[in-house]
Amino acid sequence: MKLSGGVEWAVHCCVALTGVTEPVPAATLARLNDVSMTYLAKQMQSLARAGLVHSVQGKAGGYVLARPADSISVLDIVLAIEGTEPQFTCTEVRQRGPLAASPEQCLQACAVHRAMLAAEQAWRASLRGVSVADLVATVDRDSGPDVLSRVRGWLASPTP
Amino acid sequence: MKLSGGVEWAVHCCVALTGVTEPVPAATLARLNDVSMTYLAKQMQSLARAGLVHSVQGKAGGYVLARPADSISVLDIVLAIEGTEPQFTCTEVRQRGPLAASPEQCLQACAVHRAMLAAEQAWRASLRGVSVADLVATVDRDSGPDVLSRVRGWLASPTP
DNA sequence: GTTCGGATACTCGGATAGCACTTGTCCGAGTGGGGGTGG
DNA sequence: CCACCCCCACTCGGACAAGTGCTATCCGAGTATCCGAAC
Protein backbone atom coordinates (compact mmCIF):
# COMPACT_ATOMS: atom_id res chain seq x y z
CA MET A 1 0.00 0.00 0.00
CA LYS A 2 2.79 2.36 -0.87
CA LEU A 3 2.79 4.62 -3.89
CA SER A 4 5.67 4.42 -6.28
CA GLY A 5 8.20 7.14 -5.70
CA GLY A 6 8.11 8.09 -9.35
CA VAL A 7 4.58 9.44 -8.96
CA GLU A 8 5.82 12.46 -7.07
CA TRP A 9 8.38 13.26 -9.74
CA ALA A 10 5.84 12.84 -12.52
CA VAL A 11 3.36 15.22 -10.92
CA HIS A 12 6.03 17.82 -10.28
CA CYS A 13 7.20 17.52 -13.87
CA CYS A 14 3.67 18.01 -15.18
CA VAL A 15 3.34 21.13 -13.07
CA ALA A 16 6.66 22.40 -14.33
CA LEU A 17 5.66 21.70 -17.92
CA THR A 18 2.67 24.04 -17.74
CA GLY A 19 3.19 27.19 -19.69
CA VAL A 20 6.17 25.99 -21.67
CA THR A 21 5.72 25.81 -25.42
CA GLU A 22 8.92 24.16 -26.58
CA PRO A 23 9.71 20.54 -25.75
CA VAL A 24 11.70 19.96 -22.57
CA PRO A 25 14.10 17.01 -22.51
CA ALA A 26 13.99 14.52 -19.68
CA ALA A 27 17.56 15.41 -18.75
CA THR A 28 16.53 19.03 -18.12
CA LEU A 29 13.62 17.95 -15.94
CA ALA A 30 15.94 15.65 -14.02
CA ARG A 31 18.41 18.46 -13.37
CA LEU A 32 15.61 20.76 -12.27
CA ASN A 33 14.52 18.30 -9.60
CA ASP A 34 17.95 16.83 -8.92
CA VAL A 35 16.85 13.25 -9.49
CA SER A 36 18.12 10.32 -11.50
CA MET A 37 17.96 11.17 -15.18
CA THR A 38 17.41 7.68 -16.50
CA TYR A 39 14.77 6.78 -13.98
CA LEU A 40 12.78 9.93 -14.53
CA ALA A 41 12.99 9.20 -18.25
CA LYS A 42 11.21 5.95 -17.52
CA GLN A 43 8.41 7.77 -15.73
CA MET A 44 8.06 10.22 -18.60
CA GLN A 45 7.79 7.28 -20.95
CA SER A 46 4.85 6.05 -18.92
CA LEU A 47 3.22 9.46 -19.15
CA ALA A 48 3.76 9.49 -22.90
CA ARG A 49 2.33 5.98 -23.25
CA ALA A 50 -0.77 7.10 -21.35
CA GLY A 51 -1.16 10.08 -23.67
CA LEU A 52 -0.67 12.72 -21.00
CA VAL A 53 2.45 14.21 -22.54
CA HIS A 54 3.57 14.32 -26.14
CA SER A 55 7.12 13.27 -26.91
CA VAL A 56 9.10 14.73 -29.77
CA GLN A 57 12.36 13.22 -30.85
CA GLY A 58 15.32 14.79 -32.51
CA LYS A 59 17.79 17.43 -31.55
CA ALA A 60 15.37 19.93 -30.02
CA GLY A 61 13.06 17.20 -28.75
CA GLY A 62 11.58 16.57 -25.36
CA TYR A 63 8.20 16.42 -23.67
CA VAL A 64 5.21 18.73 -23.85
CA LEU A 65 1.85 18.43 -22.16
CA ALA A 66 -0.50 16.76 -24.60
CA ARG A 67 -3.61 18.40 -23.14
CA PRO A 68 -4.51 21.62 -21.34
CA ALA A 69 -3.43 21.57 -17.73
CA ASP A 70 -7.00 21.79 -16.47
CA SER A 71 -7.91 18.56 -18.25
CA ILE A 72 -5.09 16.52 -16.71
CA SER A 73 -6.01 15.27 -13.25
CA VAL A 74 -3.62 13.97 -10.65
CA LEU A 75 -5.46 10.67 -10.93
CA ASP A 76 -4.47 10.46 -14.60
CA ILE A 77 -0.82 10.80 -13.64
CA VAL A 78 -1.03 8.30 -10.81
CA LEU A 79 -2.76 5.73 -13.00
CA ALA A 80 -0.25 6.31 -15.78
CA ILE A 81 2.65 5.52 -13.45
CA GLU A 82 1.11 2.90 -11.19
CA GLY A 83 -1.12 1.15 -13.70
CA THR A 84 -4.88 1.12 -13.90
CA GLU A 85 -5.54 -2.13 -12.09
CA PRO A 86 -7.44 -1.77 -8.81
CA GLN A 87 -5.51 -1.84 -5.56
CA PHE A 88 -7.66 -4.59 -4.05
CA THR A 89 -8.08 -7.95 -5.75
CA CYS A 90 -10.83 -10.17 -4.40
CA THR A 91 -9.82 -13.81 -4.36
CA GLU A 92 -13.37 -14.97 -3.67
CA VAL A 93 -12.72 -16.51 -0.30
CA ARG A 94 -16.43 -17.24 -0.11
CA GLN A 95 -16.16 -19.98 -2.68
CA ARG A 96 -13.33 -21.81 -0.94
CA GLY A 97 -13.15 -24.05 2.07
CA PRO A 98 -15.61 -26.54 3.57
CA LEU A 99 -18.44 -23.97 3.65
CA ALA A 100 -17.88 -22.73 0.11
CA ALA A 101 -20.75 -20.79 -1.38
CA SER A 102 -22.02 -21.79 -4.78
CA PRO A 103 -21.10 -19.51 -7.71
CA GLU A 104 -24.76 -18.52 -8.25
CA GLN A 105 -24.79 -17.22 -4.68
CA CYS A 106 -21.87 -14.94 -5.55
CA LEU A 107 -23.35 -12.97 -8.41
CA GLN A 108 -22.56 -9.68 -6.72
CA ALA A 109 -19.30 -8.71 -5.12
CA CYS A 110 -18.89 -9.72 -1.49
CA ALA A 111 -19.25 -7.21 1.31
CA VAL A 112 -15.52 -6.94 1.89
CA HIS A 113 -14.89 -6.35 -1.77
CA ARG A 114 -17.53 -3.64 -1.95
CA ALA A 115 -16.14 -1.81 1.06
CA MET A 116 -12.67 -1.80 -0.46
CA LEU A 117 -14.05 -0.74 -3.80
CA ALA A 118 -15.95 2.16 -2.27
CA ALA A 119 -12.82 3.35 -0.51
CA GLU A 120 -10.80 3.20 -3.69
CA GLN A 121 -13.53 5.09 -5.50
CA ALA A 122 -13.38 7.80 -2.88
CA TRP A 123 -9.61 7.95 -3.26
CA ARG A 124 -9.85 8.17 -7.01
CA ALA A 125 -12.57 10.79 -6.87
CA SER A 126 -10.40 12.96 -4.64
CA LEU A 127 -7.47 12.69 -7.01
CA ARG A 128 -9.71 13.20 -10.02
CA GLY A 129 -10.96 16.45 -8.54
CA VAL A 130 -7.50 18.01 -8.56
CA SER A 131 -6.07 19.00 -11.91
CA VAL A 132 -2.58 20.11 -12.77
CA ALA A 133 -4.01 23.59 -13.29
CA ASP A 134 -5.33 23.51 -9.73
CA LEU A 135 -1.87 22.64 -8.47
CA VAL A 136 -0.41 25.53 -10.44
CA ALA A 137 -3.00 27.89 -8.98
CA THR A 138 -2.25 26.62 -5.49
CA VAL A 139 1.48 27.13 -5.87
CA ASP A 140 0.91 30.60 -7.28
CA ARG A 141 -1.35 31.48 -4.38
CA ASP A 142 0.99 30.06 -1.75
CA SER A 143 4.43 31.05 -2.95
CA GLY A 144 3.66 33.75 -5.47
CA PRO A 145 3.55 33.57 -9.27
CA ASP A 146 7.25 34.25 -9.67
CA VAL A 147 8.22 30.77 -8.48
CA LEU A 148 6.70 28.94 -11.41
CA SER A 149 7.65 31.64 -13.87
CA ARG A 150 11.25 31.26 -12.77
CA VAL A 151 10.91 27.52 -13.36
CA ARG A 152 9.58 28.13 -16.85
CA GLY A 153 12.39 30.50 -17.59
CA TRP A 154 14.97 28.04 -16.36
CA LEU A 155 13.45 25.28 -18.47
CA ALA A 156 13.72 27.53 -21.53
CA SER A 157 17.46 28.10 -20.98
CA PRO A 158 18.78 25.75 -18.31
CA THR A 159 22.17 26.06 -16.68
CA PRO A 160 24.34 23.08 -17.59
CA MET B 1 -0.18 0.85 -4.89
CA LYS B 2 -1.39 -2.67 -4.30
CA LEU B 3 -2.88 -3.84 -1.04
CA SER B 4 -1.37 -6.82 0.65
CA GLY B 5 -3.29 -10.00 -0.05
CA GLY B 6 -3.40 -10.78 3.64
CA VAL B 7 -5.77 -7.88 4.22
CA GLU B 8 -8.61 -9.75 2.60
CA TRP B 9 -8.01 -12.79 4.77
CA ALA B 10 -7.79 -10.70 7.91
CA VAL B 11 -11.10 -8.95 7.26
CA HIS B 12 -12.84 -12.21 6.48
CA CYS B 13 -11.46 -13.73 9.65
CA CYS B 14 -12.69 -10.80 11.73
CA VAL B 15 -16.15 -11.21 10.24
CA ALA B 16 -16.06 -14.92 10.97
CA LEU B 17 -14.96 -14.30 14.54
CA THR B 18 -18.06 -12.25 15.34
CA GLY B 19 -20.44 -14.09 17.61
CA VAL B 20 -18.01 -16.75 18.71
CA THR B 21 -17.17 -16.82 22.39
CA GLU B 22 -14.42 -19.43 22.59
CA PRO B 23 -11.00 -18.83 21.08
CA VAL B 24 -10.55 -20.02 17.51
CA PRO B 25 -7.07 -21.24 16.51
CA ALA B 26 -5.40 -19.90 13.41
CA ALA B 27 -5.37 -23.38 11.90
CA THR B 28 -9.15 -23.53 12.04
CA LEU B 29 -9.50 -20.15 10.38
CA ALA B 30 -7.08 -21.26 7.70
CA ARG B 31 -9.07 -24.40 6.98
CA LEU B 32 -12.29 -22.40 6.85
CA ASN B 33 -10.89 -20.17 4.14
CA ASP B 34 -8.61 -22.77 2.55
CA VAL B 35 -5.52 -20.63 2.78
CA SER B 36 -1.99 -21.13 4.00
CA MET B 37 -2.05 -21.81 7.72
CA THR B 38 1.32 -20.34 8.57
CA TYR B 39 0.83 -17.20 6.54
CA LEU B 40 -2.59 -16.49 7.99
CA ALA B 41 -1.06 -16.99 11.42
CA LYS B 42 1.27 -14.16 10.56
CA GLN B 43 -1.64 -11.88 9.72
CA MET B 44 -3.42 -12.81 12.93
CA GLN B 45 -0.26 -11.91 14.81
CA SER B 46 -0.42 -8.45 13.28
CA LEU B 47 -4.04 -8.11 14.35
CA ALA B 48 -3.11 -9.18 17.87
CA ARG B 49 -0.21 -6.73 17.97
CA ALA B 50 -2.58 -3.95 16.95
CA GLY B 51 -4.97 -4.91 19.73
CA LEU B 52 -7.86 -5.86 17.46
CA VAL B 53 -7.98 -9.47 18.54
CA HIS B 54 -6.98 -11.07 21.80
CA SER B 55 -4.79 -14.14 21.63
CA VAL B 56 -4.95 -16.89 24.24
CA GLN B 57 -2.31 -19.56 24.38
CA GLY B 58 -2.54 -23.08 25.61
CA LYS B 59 -4.40 -26.15 24.58
CA ALA B 60 -7.80 -24.55 23.92
CA GLY B 61 -6.24 -21.27 22.77
CA GLY B 62 -6.83 -19.18 19.70
CA TYR B 63 -8.07 -15.74 18.76
CA VAL B 64 -11.09 -13.76 19.90
CA LEU B 65 -12.17 -10.28 18.93
CA ALA B 66 -10.80 -7.89 21.52
CA ARG B 67 -13.54 -5.32 21.00
CA PRO B 68 -17.18 -5.30 19.95
CA ALA B 69 -17.59 -5.75 16.21
CA ASP B 70 -19.12 -2.32 15.78
CA SER B 71 -16.02 -0.65 17.19
CA ILE B 72 -13.61 -2.37 14.80
CA SER B 73 -13.45 -0.60 11.48
CA VAL B 74 -12.07 -2.00 8.27
CA LEU B 75 -9.49 0.76 8.43
CA ASP B 76 -8.22 -0.63 11.71
CA ILE B 77 -7.65 -4.00 10.08
CA VAL B 78 -5.98 -2.54 7.00
CA LEU B 79 -3.65 -0.41 9.09
CA ALA B 80 -2.84 -3.36 11.34
CA ILE B 81 -1.74 -5.43 8.36
CA GLU B 82 -0.23 -2.79 6.10
CA GLY B 83 1.24 -0.52 8.73
CA THR B 84 0.22 2.97 9.71
CA GLU B 85 2.68 4.91 7.61
CA PRO B 86 1.10 7.04 4.88
CA GLN B 87 1.07 5.75 1.34
CA PHE B 88 2.68 8.88 -0.07
CA THR B 89 6.04 10.11 1.16
CA CYS B 90 6.99 13.61 0.11
CA THR B 91 10.69 13.89 -0.68
CA GLU B 92 10.56 17.69 -0.77
CA VAL B 93 11.48 18.10 -4.39
CA ARG B 94 11.01 21.82 -3.90
CA GLN B 95 14.18 22.08 -1.87
CA ARG B 96 16.35 20.36 -4.44
CA GLY B 97 17.90 21.39 -7.70
CA PRO B 98 19.14 24.74 -8.99
CA LEU B 99 15.88 26.52 -8.09
CA ALA B 100 15.62 25.04 -4.62
CA ALA B 101 13.28 26.83 -2.27
CA SER B 102 14.54 27.83 1.13
CA PRO B 103 13.32 25.79 4.09
CA GLU B 104 11.41 28.74 5.53
CA GLN B 105 9.44 28.90 2.29
CA CYS B 106 8.37 25.30 2.85
CA LEU B 107 6.70 25.58 6.22
CA GLN B 108 3.51 24.01 4.93
CA ALA B 109 3.25 20.92 2.80
CA CYS B 110 3.57 21.43 -0.93
CA ALA B 111 0.53 21.34 -3.19
CA VAL B 112 1.26 17.86 -4.49
CA HIS B 113 1.67 16.52 -1.00
CA ARG B 114 -1.59 18.07 0.12
CA ALA B 115 -3.51 16.62 -2.81
CA MET B 116 -2.18 13.15 -2.08
CA LEU B 117 -2.89 13.59 1.62
CA ALA B 118 -6.47 14.63 0.96
CA ALA B 119 -7.02 11.59 -1.23
CA GLU B 120 -5.62 9.29 1.41
CA GLN B 121 -7.80 10.93 4.03
CA ALA B 122 -10.85 10.28 1.85
CA TRP B 123 -9.78 6.67 1.45
CA ARG B 124 -9.28 6.26 5.16
CA ALA B 125 -12.56 7.95 5.98
CA SER B 126 -14.40 5.55 3.70
CA LEU B 127 -12.78 2.55 5.34
CA ARG B 128 -13.29 4.01 8.79
CA GLY B 129 -16.99 4.33 8.11
CA VAL B 130 -17.40 0.59 7.66
CA SER B 131 -17.21 -1.58 10.75
CA VAL B 132 -17.03 -5.33 11.03
CA ALA B 133 -20.58 -5.24 12.36
CA ASP B 134 -21.65 -3.44 9.18
CA LEU B 135 -20.09 -6.20 7.11
CA VAL B 136 -21.91 -8.81 9.16
CA ALA B 137 -25.18 -6.97 8.64
CA THR B 138 -24.51 -6.73 4.92
CA VAL B 139 -23.80 -10.43 4.59
CA ASP B 140 -26.90 -11.27 6.61
CA ARG B 141 -29.00 -9.03 4.40
CA ASP B 142 -27.53 -10.35 1.15
CA SER B 143 -27.18 -14.06 1.76
CA GLY B 144 -29.40 -14.62 4.78
CA PRO B 145 -28.44 -15.00 8.43
CA ASP B 146 -27.89 -18.75 8.14
CA VAL B 147 -24.63 -18.32 6.26
CA LEU B 148 -22.75 -16.72 9.13
CA SER B 149 -24.47 -18.89 11.71
CA ARG B 150 -23.25 -21.94 9.84
CA VAL B 151 -19.76 -20.46 9.91
CA ARG B 152 -19.98 -19.94 13.66
CA GLY B 153 -21.19 -23.48 14.14
CA TRP B 154 -18.38 -24.84 12.03
CA LEU B 155 -15.82 -22.81 13.98
CA ALA B 156 -17.20 -24.28 17.21
CA SER B 157 -16.70 -27.86 15.98
CA PRO B 158 -14.69 -27.92 12.78
CA THR B 159 -14.29 -30.94 10.55
CA PRO B 160 -10.68 -32.09 10.51
C1' DG C 1 22.43 33.40 -53.09
C1' DT C 2 19.74 29.33 -52.89
C1' DT C 3 18.90 24.58 -52.44
C1' DC C 4 19.90 19.96 -51.75
C1' DG C 5 22.23 16.26 -49.41
C1' DG C 6 24.50 13.94 -45.82
C1' DA C 7 26.82 13.65 -41.47
C1' DT C 8 25.93 14.59 -36.76
C1' DA C 9 24.46 15.13 -32.33
C1' DC C 10 20.81 14.89 -29.54
C1' DT C 11 16.42 12.86 -28.25
C1' DC C 12 13.20 9.02 -26.86
C1' DG C 13 12.19 3.93 -26.34
C1' DG C 14 12.58 -0.63 -24.82
C1' DA C 15 15.47 -4.23 -22.92
C1' DT C 16 18.49 -5.20 -18.98
C1' DA C 17 20.68 -5.88 -13.77
C1' DG C 18 20.19 -4.84 -8.57
C1' DC C 19 17.56 -4.40 -4.50
C1' DA C 20 13.71 -4.09 -1.23
C1' DC C 21 9.49 -5.72 0.20
C1' DT C 22 5.73 -9.03 0.21
C1' DT C 23 4.84 -13.84 0.41
C1' DG C 24 5.41 -18.14 2.46
C1' DT C 25 7.57 -21.21 5.94
C1' DC C 26 9.75 -23.06 9.97
C1' DC C 27 10.89 -24.03 14.79
C1' DG C 28 11.10 -22.53 19.75
C1' DA C 29 8.60 -20.41 24.05
C1' DG C 30 4.65 -20.62 26.72
C1' DT C 31 0.36 -22.43 28.67
C1' DG C 32 -3.86 -24.76 29.76
C1' DG C 33 -5.67 -29.42 30.11
C1' DG C 34 -5.67 -34.37 31.13
C1' DG C 35 -4.15 -38.31 33.37
C1' DG C 36 -1.77 -40.55 37.01
C1' DT C 37 -0.73 -40.91 41.81
C1' DG C 38 -0.95 -40.30 46.59
C1' DG C 39 -3.73 -39.27 50.56
C1' DC D 1 -13.39 -40.51 46.37
C1' DC D 2 -10.79 -36.21 46.07
C1' DA D 3 -6.87 -33.17 45.53
C1' DC D 4 -2.46 -32.43 43.86
C1' DC D 5 1.23 -32.67 40.59
C1' DC D 6 3.55 -33.77 36.45
C1' DC D 7 3.60 -34.56 31.56
C1' DC D 8 1.98 -33.45 27.23
C1' DA D 9 -0.15 -31.73 23.37
C1' DC D 10 -1.55 -27.72 21.51
C1' DT D 11 -1.22 -22.81 20.90
C1' DC D 12 1.01 -18.37 19.70
C1' DG D 13 5.28 -15.65 18.74
C1' DG D 14 9.24 -14.26 16.44
C1' DA D 15 13.10 -15.54 13.37
C1' DC D 16 14.23 -17.45 8.70
C1' DA D 17 14.21 -18.34 3.04
C1' DA D 18 11.99 -17.62 -1.76
C1' DG D 19 9.45 -14.96 -5.26
C1' DT D 20 7.88 -10.73 -7.25
C1' DG D 21 7.76 -6.05 -8.33
C1' DC D 22 9.96 -1.45 -7.78
C1' DT D 23 14.40 1.12 -8.47
C1' DA D 24 18.00 2.27 -11.23
C1' DT D 25 20.66 1.82 -15.53
C1' DC D 26 22.34 1.06 -20.19
C1' DC D 27 22.51 0.95 -25.15
C1' DG D 28 20.02 1.04 -29.67
C1' DA D 29 16.36 3.40 -32.95
C1' DG D 30 14.92 7.61 -34.80
C1' DT D 31 14.88 12.43 -36.19
C1' DA D 32 15.47 17.57 -36.49
C1' DT D 33 19.43 20.36 -37.02
C1' DC D 34 23.60 22.06 -38.90
C1' DC D 35 27.16 22.36 -42.21
C1' DG D 36 29.00 21.89 -46.61
C1' DA D 37 28.87 21.61 -51.50
C1' DA D 38 26.74 21.96 -55.88
C1' DC D 39 23.93 24.68 -58.93
Side-chain angles (χ1 to χ4, degrees):
Chain A
M1 195 52 210
K2 197 168 66 68
L3 259 77
S4 169
V7 170
E8 182 183 10
W9 301 357
V11 178
H12 275 277
C13 285
C14 285
V15 172
L17 282 178
T18 58
V20 295
T21 55
E22 300 191 351
V24 179
T28 304
L29 290 169
R31 281 210 304 279
L32 172 67
N33 295 332
D34 189 25
V35 295
S36 163
M37 196 270 275
T38 55
Y39 189 41
L40 187 133
K42 192 176 183 60
Q43 315 299 340
M44 297 307 291
Q45 281 176 32
S46 298
L47 293 184
R49 217 173 299 146
L52 301 182
V53 299
H54 189 63
S55 68
V56 288
Q57 284 193 342
K59 194 177 178 83
Y63 292 100
V64 200
L65 288 185
R67 286 186 262 156
D70 55 3
S71 71
I72 298 179
S73 69
V74 179
L75 177 65
D76 293 330
I77 303 174
V78 172
L79 292 184
I81 303 293
E82 294 278 328
T84 58
E85 57 209 28
Q87 61 188 196
F88 180 81
T89 56
C90 183
T91 59
E92 285 296 332
V93 176
R94 296 180 290 177
Q95 305 186 30
R96 304 172 62 177
L99 274 65
S102 60
E104 51 264 23
Q105 288 177 328
C106 304
L107 294 180
Q108 64 175 345
C110 73
V112 178
H113 191 186
R114 275 181 284 173
M116 294 293 182
L117 225 55
E120 185 172 356
Q121 289 303 323
W123 177 74
R124 291 194 177 205
S126 177
L127 289 181
R128 194 182 295 115
V130 180
S131 69
V132 174
D134 294 333
L135 293 178
V136 170
T138 302
V139 173
D140 284 344
R141 181 157 20 85
D142 287 351
S143 310
D146 53 338
V147 171
L148 281 181
S149 61
R150 277 180 63 209
V151 169
R152 295 191 190 103
W154 188 88
L155 287 179
S157 61
T159 60
Chain B
M1 197 50 212
K2 196 168 66 69
L3 258 77
S4 170
V7 171
E8 182 184 10
W9 302 356
V11 178
H12 275 276
C13 286
C14 285
V15 172
L17 282 178
T18 57
V20 295
T21 54
E22 299 191 351
V24 179
T28 304
L29 290 170
R31 281 210 304 278
L32 173 67
N33 295 332
D34 188 25
V35 296
S36 162
M37 196 271 274
T38 53
Y39 189 40
L40 187 133
K42 194 177 182 58
Q43 315 300 338
M44 297 308 291
Q45 280 176 33
S46 299
L47 293 184
R49 216 173 299 145
L52 301 183
V53 299
H54 190 63
S55 69
V56 289
Q57 285 192 344
K59 195 177 180 86
Y63 292 101
V64 199
L65 289 185
R67 285 186 263 155
D70 56 3
S71 70
I72 299 179
S73 69
V74 179
L75 178 65
D76 293 330
I77 303 174
V78 172
L79 292 183
I81 302 293
E82 295 277 329
T84 58
E85 56 207 28
Q87 61 187 198
F88 181 82
T89 53
C90 184
T91 60
E92 284 296 332
V93 176
R94 297 180 289 179
Q95 304 186 30
R96 304 172 61 176
L99 274 66
S102 60
E104 53 265 21
Q105 288 177 327
C106 304
L107 294 181
Q108 66 176 346
C110 73
V112 178
H113 192 186
R114 273 181 285 172
M116 294 293 183
L117 225 56
E120 185 172 356
Q121 290 302 325
W123 177 74
R124 293 195 177 204
S126 176
L127 290 181
R128 195 182 295 116
V130 180
S131 70
V132 174
D134 295 332
L135 294 179
V136 171
T138 303
V139 173
D140 284 344
R141 182 158 20 85
D142 287 351
S143 309
D146 53 340
V147 171
L148 281 182
S149 62
R150 279 180 61 208
V151 169
R152 295 190 190 103
W154 188 88
L155 286 180
S157 61
T159 60

